[in-house]
Each structure stands twice: as structure tokens, then as C-alpha cells.
Amino acid sequence: MPKVGRPVEADGVSSGPWWRGAVIYQIYPRSFVDSNGDGIGDLPGISAHLDYLVDLGVDALWLSPFYRSPMADFGYDVSDYTDVDPIFGTLEDFDRLVESAHARGLRVIVDWVPNHTSEHHAWFVNSRSSRISAQRNWYIWRDPAPDGGPPNNWQSQFPRVGSGWSFDEPTGQWYLHSYLPAQPDLNWDNPAVVEAMSDVLRFWLRRGVDGFRVDVPQRLGKDRAFRDNPGLANEPLAGFVGRRYDEDQPATHEHLRGIRRVVDEFGDRLIVGEVYILDQRRMTTYVNPGDELHLAHNFTFLRLDWDASAFRRTLIELEQSLDPAAWPAWCLGNHDHSRIASRFGADGRGQERARLIGLLLLTLRGTPFIYYGDELGLPDSAVPPDLALDIHDRDRARGPIPWLPTSRVGLGAGFSRVVPWLPVASNAEILNVDAQAADPTSTLSMYRAILRLRRSSTALNAGPVEYLDGAREMLAYRRRSDFESWLIAFNFAVEPRLLEGVQGDVSDNDVAFTTIPDRPRLRMYRRRIMLEPLEGIVLRQHQGGGA
Ligand code: GLC
Ligand code: CA
């Protein structure tokens, strides 16, 4: 494989694996660019816009599923793992995308959905055809409980679905689906399943992908005795203490070690898992051993309220839970959660908070993942009830990117020449790419600038992090290397607040970055400076400059 990605060693940033120094950008293919005018984004659309990602300054892209699928869960219900759904293009389009990305130094990570297939996958069609079919045991079939009901109390992750079991009349048994009935769970205790899914990995690895985002890895192992869960919680561990028997079992870790061995056959590739466990000590058991996942998304962090001390506590707990040899990964949005600008925008200040959060994401120790559109500060799309598509109310986070103002090009906003499959974000008129690229004070320009700063800084890429004692509504940390020292601070309050702990004198020249482009001049009071409301700031600290 040709060497791709920016040569991180060359600027002295890091000599570890490529993904430690990388910034990864998630693309939801339905919503990036529609190249053929059917209202739905596609692979050729992405290929044609890779320079946008190069200009942004990211190192890799992660593509949410583009495989053949009936789209009951918008691609997370796969009916053929080794083909591209015609909505998105062809395998040749995929190869071209990888080739063009690599030619630009961008790596490509694809989604891999191992816990379940579509009910229309040939494996399941065979499996449900009879009790003695060759692939019956590829899925999880059980006899009815004595009262004729489902075998146990496991629930689907989607509250509207209810029970995690569906009854199959013709064969008189129930099958397990952790999500929709149209998404039957595979039986990972069957070696034939492990082999078939490993071949799926090899198929894409041979096509040149640089890694995988693993969908719900914690689900791969289930309690082998199928015990009832204590309680019916279907929110992942929200307010839930104690064991759940339908995920995070010892078998889960066995399966992940096997998956890692397959990926390691190909060298320098990445597996990052959507480990949706809202307990950082348990979540980190997926990366600490070193022979399971390389990285795990941290949903405890993603789900925090707007509270500096909660952020601080969570960040410190993560550092304490993580093995020194392991590496953090950060994301503050994805296709399953309301966008940052909306989540934190009830008072109309979502844009400012989105900038603050962007700076935080890109300056923490670890590998950041940017959800497409967050670099524009996009709010959720307004999706009227009659246009709602998703069973779990996630449409609003999945709106297409506005490339151009709607007043100029209509509702498609440069994403599509027709009306898009979901409405583009509200505010497209102002927040579109074209307008923001031309405005040096825009959120997009801000992301570009931070990514430039990050790339040139050993401390930001690889240096340790030291969290400072937080004044109320303030989060602050240092990142250092042998050559530089940064003080990075965030004022979560909507009033000015004093930042303590500044070393030496600082002046306006030491402001390497701020989320408030027109901030007043720095005012320094005895090692304290005043931060503007909702400001995030990066200050250059002079080494040895009086503590
Ligand atoms: C993951 C995906 C989500 C999907 C679910 C089932 O949580 O991110 O979109 O619905 O898995 O595959
Ligand atoms: Ca299209």
C-alpha cells in the first residue's frame, strides 16, 4: 500500500501509529453531496468534494454505511456487506473514492456493522426458512417462554420497538434483534459467522481501507444463559446500575480480540469502536488491553450537560481509567445525537457554544472525530412530523450540508439540484460553506485555523495534558512539549470570568487562538486574565516564564 497521510514523523509530531496524530471527519453519505440529482448524497459526490476536507485540514474520513441495504435503519441494516447500494453508487465509485482520497493524503475508514444484518440478507433469509436450515444457527433463535411469550425480557434499543424478540410464525421460534425487527442479531458464538464477518473485513482491507468504525461492539457478546436483565432499561445504562446481560459480556472481549487479529493481518489499520457504555471505567476495558479496539468513542463525554465541572470531572476520570499505553478518542456529535449548536443552543447562543466545543475537541489529548457540518456550526434540521423518517427521532442530526445559500440555488443549497431527502439545516442562508469560507471570522475559518495550529504543534498532537483546578464555569488545561507550552481555557459562563493560573506575563501576542475573533485586548490582573462570555482561548506560555 502506498504511504498515505501526512508524514507525521517529519514535523516531529509523533512517531506512533498514524491515527494518534490524526483528525477524523465523519461523513453520513446520504447528506454530503448528491451528484446525480435524486436528492440523496452519494459516493461520487464525496469524491468530488475531497478538496474541501483537505482545505479543512483533516487527515481521514469515516464513511457511515453505504452497503446494500433496504434502509430500514438508513444503512445500518446491511443486506450485502460486500457491495455498494445503488443509491450511493458502485464498487468502482468506492475504489475511485479511496484512490482520490489517498492521492490527497486522506485516509478512509468505513463502518462495519457486525452485530446484526438486514432481515433481507441472504444469511437471514436462509436462517428463517426452517429450523433445520444450514444457517439457522447464524442468528439467535429461541423457543417461546412457557407462557408462549418472548424467551426473556431483553428490549430493543429503540423504545418504540419494545421487546428485543420477534416471533416467526412459520418456524414457531423467536429471534433476537437489539434494534429493529428488520435487524436480526448475528450469533457470534457460531464460528461460521466469525469467519464470514472476518472475510468482510478482509474484503475492504484488500480494497485499501485504512480501518473501520465498529458499530455497537459491546453487543457482540451476550449472556450465554440468556438471563433476564434486571429492569427493562433500554437507554444504554442511563440511570442504570448493575449488569446487563445483552451486552458487555466476557464473550464480547473474546470476539474483539479475534477481530483485531484479522485487522492486524494488514498492518497499520485502525479499529475504532462505538462502545456505547456510559461508564468510562467499563468503556476503557475495550482499549486498555491493547489487543482489542485501538480507540473507543466516549459517549459519557458526548452526553454531558453544559457544565464546566462535569466536563472536568469526566476528562479527569477518563485519564485515570485509561491505561498509559492506550489513547483517547473524542467526539461531540454523530448521526445519532442532536447537533452541538442545537443541543447547547436553547438560549440562542448555540453558535458560540459550538465554537467553544470545537476548540475543546481539537485540543484535548487524543484523536478527535468531527461530525460533518459541525465545522460549520450547523444546528439541527427542522424536520416536520410528516417528513420524519427515523424510528428513533434522529433525522434532525442528519440534514444535508448547505454548500451555497438557498436564496441563490434553492432548497437543495448546493447539496442537490432537487429537494433533498431531509431538509438542510435551518440557517443555511448564513451558515453555508460558500459564505463561511469567505469570512475569516466564521466557524469554518476557525476550524481551519485550529487544525493548522494543531498540525504544527507537537504539544497539541502528542503532549500530555494537565487539568487545572477549575474556577466555577471555567475549564482549563495545559498541553506541553519540549518546545512549547499552551494554556487552553474555556469560559462556560455567559458573563466574563477570570482565568487563574496564567504563567508569566501574557499579552495579545500570546493569544494563539480565540473563539471570539473581535475580543477586546487582553487584560491581565496578577496572573489572571478576563475571558469573554463563552470564550475558548489558546495562550502561548513562555517556558520558564515565572510560575
Ligand atoms: C449504532 C448506529 C446507529 C444504528 C445502530 C444500529 O448505534 O450509530 O445509527 O441505528 O447502531 O446499527
Ligand atoms: Ca444521489
Side-chain angles (χ1 to χ4, degrees):
M1 198 192 95
K3 196 168 160 40
V4 297
R6 294 188 182 79
V8 273
E9 299 88 352
D11 46 17
V13 165
S14 150
S15 52
W18 66 268
W19 41 266
R20 288 205 172 201
V23 177
I24 301 179
Y25 184 93
Q26 179 188 357
I27 291 181
Y28 196 66
R30 297 181 79 85
S31 292
F32 201 61
V33 182
D34 169 22
S35 71
N36 62 349
D38 62 358
I40 301 177
D42 44 54
L43 298 183
I46 298 170
S47 291
H49 283 66
L50 291 173
D51 286 333
Y52 172 71
L53 302 180
V54 173
D55 293 344
L56 179 59
V58 300
D59 305 279
L61 50 131
W62 146 31
L63 298 170
S64 282
F66 49 81
Y67 315 109
R68 269 189 194 267
S69 164
M71 305 288 165
D73 192 14
F74 298 99
Y76 285 95
D77 50 322
V78 181
S79 56
D80 183 348
Y81 287 98
T82 55
D83 202 1
V84 172
D85 194 279
I87 286 185
F88 297 120
T90 62
L91 268 177
E92 291 67 47
D93 290 330
F94 177 80
D95 291 341
R96 266 194 292 275
L97 168 52
V98 171
E99 202 188 318
S100 326
H102 284 176
R104 288 168 171 77
L106 293 168
R107 305 206 189 225
V108 179
I109 292 168
V110 298
D111 226 298
W112 180 60
V113 188
N115 177 68
H116 44 267
T117 67
S118 158
E119 63 179 332
H120 296 296
H121 195 292
W123 303 338
F124 190 69
V125 172
N126 177 295
S127 185
R128 88 185 308 175
S129 65
S130 96
R131 284 200 189 206
I132 54 162
S133 74
Q135 287 169 308
R136 184 66 167 180
N137 197 26
W138 282 45
Y139 293 82
I140 301 174
W141 292 96
R142 283 288 173 283
D143 287 333
D147 68 356
N152 67 19
N153 73 355
W154 295 357
Q155 297 288 294
S156 159
Q157 197 60 48
F158 302 136
R160 271 180 220 152
V161 170
S163 171
W165 297 92
S166 283
F167 190 62
D168 183 59
E169 256 341 306
T171 60
Q173 285 190 311
W174 297 78
Y175 68 88
L176 181 68
H177 48 84
S178 298
Y179 297 88
L180 295 173
Q183 293 167 294
D185 280 34
L186 282 162
N187 173 16
W188 271 80
D189 284 337
N190 180 345
V193 167
V194 176
E195 211 27 59
M197 286 305 290
S198 300
D199 282 342
V200 170
L201 292 171
R202 293 188 186 100
F203 176 89
W204 294 104
L205 288 163
R206 288 196 192 102
R207 287 200 113 81
V209 305
D210 300 285
F212 300 92
R213 176 268 192 180
V214 183
D215 193 61
V216 293
Q218 77 280 4
R219 293 261 177 189
L220 292 186
K222 277 107 178 160
D223 178 42
R224 286 174 173 145
F226 288 84
R227 277 168 284 190
D228 274 349
N229 276 331
L232 291 177
N234 39 20
E235 256 298 88
L237 297 178
F240 185 93
V241 276
R243 209 77 203 135
R244 260 176 81 154
Y245 290 108
D246 55 350
E247 64 174 31
D248 192 31
Q249 297 292 307
T252 315
H253 294 276
E254 285 166 38
H255 297 318
L256 286 172
R257 282 193 288 277
I259 290 161
R260 174 65 176 269
R261 283 194 294 275
V262 173
V263 174
D264 280 350
E265 290 165 16
F266 292 79
D268 208 18
R269 317 287 171 107
L270 164 69
I271 38 175
V272 50
E274 181 210 20
V275 183
Y276 216 123
I277 296 177
L278 298 180
D279 172 338
Q280 297 191 105
R281 279 169 300 255
R282 277 170 51 210
M283 182 276 281
T284 46
T285 63
Y286 288 76
V287 289
N288 282 342
D291 60 355
E292 298 185 26
L293 298 170
H294 294 106
L295 296 174
H297 286 152
N298 182 349
F299 291 90
T300 304
F301 182 70
L302 185 147
R303 293 169 65 117
L304 289 172
D305 290 333
W306 192 257
D307 172 355
S309 57
F311 272 82
R312 184 167 179 279
R313 254 194 329 273
T314 303
L315 289 163
I316 291 173
E317 185 188 75
L318 188 275
E319 290 289 344
Q320 286 165 349
S321 310
L322 204 65
D323 203 79
W327 188 250
W330 303 108
C331 60
L332 273 151
N334 74 11
H335 59 290
D336 297 327
H337 299 88
S338 174
R339 284 184 179 275
I340 301 167
S342 293
R343 229 154 69 213
F344 297 132
D347 62 353
R349 303 189 74 162
Q351 287 298 312
E352 293 157 84
R353 291 198 180 85
R355 285 167 170 252
L356 184 157
I357 285 290
L359 179 64
L360 173 69
L361 183 71
L362 296 171
T363 55
L364 288 170
R365 187 181 84 93
T367 300
F369 287 72
I370 301 172
Y371 183 49
Y372 83 98
D374 280 355
E375 77 281 13
L376 303 168
L378 291 187
D380 289 341
S381 292
V383 183
D386 58 316
L387 290 183
L389 299 170
D390 179 46
I391 183 153
H392 202 44
D393 291 333
R394 297 167 294 183
D395 297 321
R396 61 188 121 128
R398 301 174 176 176
I401 288 230
W403 294 92
L404 294 164
T406 35
S407 58
R408 210 157 94 210
V409 293
L411 287 182
F415 158 77
S416 175
R417 46 182 193 270
V418 301
V419 178
W421 75 289
L422 281 177
V424 294
S426 345
N427 270 350
E429 189 58 30
I430 296 163
L431 295 180
N432 65 81
V433 172
D434 195 53
Q436 293 206 37
D439 173 3
T441 68
S442 69
T443 302
L444 177 60
S445 299
M446 182 199 102
Y447 265 78
R448 287 177 175 168
I450 307 171
L451 284 164
R452 255 195 320 273
L453 177 68
R454 189 186 152 95
R455 204 159 42 244
S456 66
S457 161
T458 315
L460 289 181
N461 270 281
V465 62
E466 179 198 336
Y467 294 100
L468 306 190
D469 281 342
R472 226 164 48 83
E473 300 188 89
M474 190 75 87
L475 173 70
Y477 45 87
R478 288 185 207 289
R479 303 288 313 276
R480 287 182 216 266
S481 71
D482 290 346
F483 316 103
E484 37 175 21
S485 170
W486 306 102
L487 174 59
I488 302 161
F490 303 89
N491 177 11
F492 278 59
V494 291
E495 297 103 43
R497 281 269 193 281
L498 277 175
L499 167 69
E500 321 251 346
V502 180
Q503 291 177 336
D505 286 335
V506 289
S507 69
D508 287 313
N509 289 336
D510 299 312
V511 180
F513 188 80
T514 164
T515 58
I516 314 244
D518 51 356
R519 85 180 313 291
R521 298 191 53 125
L522 266 195
R523 284 175 287 163
M524 174 119 193
Y525 315 90
R526 304 187 182 166
R527 310 226 164 93
R528 299 180 303 174
I529 58 168
M530 192 62 94
L531 295 195
E532 293 296 299
L534 298 174
E535 178 172 21
I537 198 164
V538 182
L539 289 173
R540 199 176 285 106
Q541 294 275 265
H542 300 284
Q543 308 273 46

